[in-house]
Amino acid sequence: MYYIGEAGTKVAVANQARLLFEFISGYGLGGSTVALFGRVGGGIYTKAADVGADLAGKVGEHLDEDSPLNPGTIADNVGDNVGDIAGMGADLFGSLAESTCAALVVSSTSWPLMSTNDAVYFPLMVTSVGIVASFVCVQASKMKATVE
């Protein structure tokens, strides 16, 4: 099962497995980078809406910071919500990708673990169960909201 060709060696398979896990660690690093830019980008747009609304209201009309008379307050609140959602989603994706990749990369350093399919699939199964559980919880919360 772990041999390549008729006279293959475990070394060739181990090198291929290590190459595969280098690709996986690259995916984790890319996910972390995307999460970073998602978090920073959401914060920039939120801050821009906040500063714009405050300047227009305070300087132009002498209104309080979050006065309902200032239409920019709506943009400020929308920007806060969008920034928070984008940031949290990016953080969740980054954590999920990084933890799964870290478990796979650490397990790839041990040949006894690499030769056991169950040990290699375990981090993937834990991640898969977590994703399915999150979908079930979201649907359960939607059903509870419609009942009330």
Side-chain angles (χ1 to χ4, degrees):
M1 180 171 154
Y2 290 98
Y3 295 103
I4 298 174
E6 293 179 13
T9 63
K10 288 184 179 179
V11 174
V13 173
N15 288 338
Q16 287 182 350
R18 291 203 195 284
L19 183 64
L20 175 67
F21 285 108
E22 285 180 16
F23 293 149
I24 290 173
S25 62
Y27 169 74
L29 181 63
S32 176
T33 305
V34 168
L36 171 75
F37 285 119
R39 180 58 119 173
V40 171
I44 289 170
Y45 288 119
T46 300
K47 188 52 69 183
D50 187 25
V51 169
D54 289 344
L55 282 176
K58 286 180 182 178
V59 175
E61 298 296 324
H62 304 291
L63 297 172
D64 292 332
E65 183 172 344
D66 289 328
S67 172
L69 299 174
N70 184 0
T73 303
I74 297 171
D76 179 27
N77 291 334
V78 170
D80 288 342
N81 290 331
V82 169
D84 291 343
I85 297 300
M88 283 188 276
D91 287 342
L92 284 173
F93 171 73
S95 298
L96 180 76
E98 291 164 6
S99 61
T100 303
C101 292
L104 289 171
V105 169
V106 168
S107 70
S108 73
T109 61
S110 169
W111 179 253
L113 282 177
M114 285 297 299
S115 63
T116 306
N117 286 338
D118 295 340
V120 174
Y121 290 132
F122 181 71
L124 299 174
M125 293 306 295
V126 169
T127 302
S128 301
V129 168
I131 291 171
V132 170
S134 68
F135 285 142
V136 168
C137 290
V138 166
Q139 293 303 321
S141 68
K142 287 182 180 179
M143 288 181 358
K144 182 180 178 185
T146 58
V147 169
E148 294 174 354

